[in-house]
Amino acid sequence: MTNIYDELRASHAKQRRLCSSMVRTLAGNPAKREALFRELRIELAAHAAAEERYLYVPILMFDMGLNSARHALAEHHDMDELVEDLRALDSSGEAWGPKASELVHKVRHHLKEEETKFFQVSGKLLSDAQKVRLAAQYRKDYERMVGVAAQR
């Protein structure tokens, strides 16, 4: 049975792949760079919305989960700001590459920290049944949010 962490790790793997692909295009084709950025932007938005609703909110209900959930939410906000900064820049301009590298660094840092710290804390707070139920809720909301994010 799939649990919330299995679902999140699958999205994390996709985010890592997109980040690596985007970094490889920094000196290359602006159109490909823009397409990869759009895919990453949609993935980040859908993942963050569903993760916040179906992992962070339940963890905020526990005193032991407050600090780590707040920290993770702040990192999501930082990534959202970087995405908006990138959207405002010309993908073929010289400012785009450093800003994209900053986003990639922040995404990689967040994923590593989440998998090595937050998952351990939250895993102690949630029952196995909750983890399975949250996975189904996350997946449904994630799929819906992909469509919402693609329209933005």
Side-chain angles (χ1 to χ4, degrees):
M1 188 90 8
T2 301
N3 69 39
I4 185 72
Y5 304 109
D6 298 327
E7 292 290 334
L8 295 172
R9 283 187 188 97
S11 177
H12 289 182
K14 184 174 185 180
Q15 290 172 47
R16 284 185 176 100
R17 180 182 52 75
L18 289 168
C19 282
S20 293
S21 295
M22 200 168 75
V23 165
R24 285 193 297 273
T25 69
L26 291 181
N29 181 339
K32 184 170 183 175
R33 180 181 318 143
E34 188 65 36
L36 286 165
F37 170 62
R38 181 177 189 280
E39 192 177 348
L40 177 63
R41 175 182 62 77
I42 291 167
E43 180 64 23
L44 290 173
H47 171 83
E51 181 178 56
E52 288 169 8
R53 291 175 181 140
Y54 297 104
L55 183 60
Y56 295 178
V57 168
I59 298 309
L60 283 166
M61 304 310 274
F62 296 92
D63 293 343
M64 192 173 123
L66 275 175
N67 287 339
S68 56
R70 286 177 178 158
H71 178 76
L73 282 164
E75 287 187 343
H76 277 190
H77 175 74
D78 292 345
M79 288 182 282
D80 289 345
E81 294 290 319
L82 288 167
V83 165
E84 289 309 310
D85 290 348
L86 271 170
R87 288 185 84 180
L89 294 173
D90 177 359
S91 64
S92 60
E94 37 181 89
W96 201 90
K99 188 60 74 174
S101 293
E102 187 180 350
L103 174 62
V104 166
H105 174 77
K106 181 61 110 174
V107 168
R108 288 175 174 161
H109 163 82
H110 175 73
L111 298 179
K112 181 179 179 184
E113 191 170 75
E114 196 168 72
E115 291 171 357
T116 61
K117 295 179 183 172
F118 189 75
F119 284 8
Q120 283 66 36
V121 170
S122 62
K124 293 175 185 168
L125 300 173
L126 300 170
S127 70
D128 289 343
Q130 285 174 303
K131 292 171 190 173
V132 170
R133 187 179 73 253
L134 290 169
Q137 293 170 315
Y138 166 87
R139 186 180 323 106
K140 183 176 179 183
D141 197 50
Y142 166 83
E143 290 168 2
R144 182 182 68 81
M145 289 305 298
V146 166
V148 169
Q151 298 302 312
R152 292 186 188 148

